Amino acid sequence: MPATTEGAKGNGKLRVAAIGDLHVMEDSVAPYRELFTEIANSADVLLLCGDLTNFGKTTEAEILAEDIRACSIPVLGVLGNHDYECGQPEKVCSILHEAGMIVLDEQAHEIDG
């Protein structure tokens, strides 16, 4: 990802927010929606850095997906070891991707040039 780009504020700098170890659980209710809204007001892109779910359950991924849908900036991320625990990382990726997250797996992704 280039260090400079137009960014949301047009100042030539890309503002990146990164968070990991979210560990969304099945009983969570919009656990990160408010935080993602705050981040969207201050950053141009949000990076989710692994262990997004607690056990890699599809219900956990669906809860996080709702919060991702509410985020108004691009969301990119990678899975962590917890996201593989139930043996269905492809389903977790699919749910998050359908919500708008760009799931990275050894590839690059360019944001706004």
Side-chain angles (χ1 to χ4, degrees), residues 38-99:
E38 283 183 45
I39 288 171
N41 290 328
S42 304
D44 300 313
V45 63
L46 171 59
L47 304 179
L48 301 181
C49 306
D51 289 351
L52 310 180
T53 63
N54 206 38
F55 293 109
K57 296 179 179 181
T58 56
T59 51
E60 295 169 341
E62 288 165 355
I63 291 166
L64 179 58
E66 289 304 312
D67 288 357
I68 290 170
R69 281 185 185 91
C71 191
S72 62
I73 59 175
V75 178
L76 290 84
V78 296
L79 299 185
N81 62 306
H82 280 255
D83 305 311
Y84 284 81
E85 280 196 33
C86 279
Q88 52 191 3
E90 298 83 12
K91 289 182 182 179
V92 170
C93 283
S94 177
I95 291 166
L96 299 177
H97 179 72
E98 287 173 18

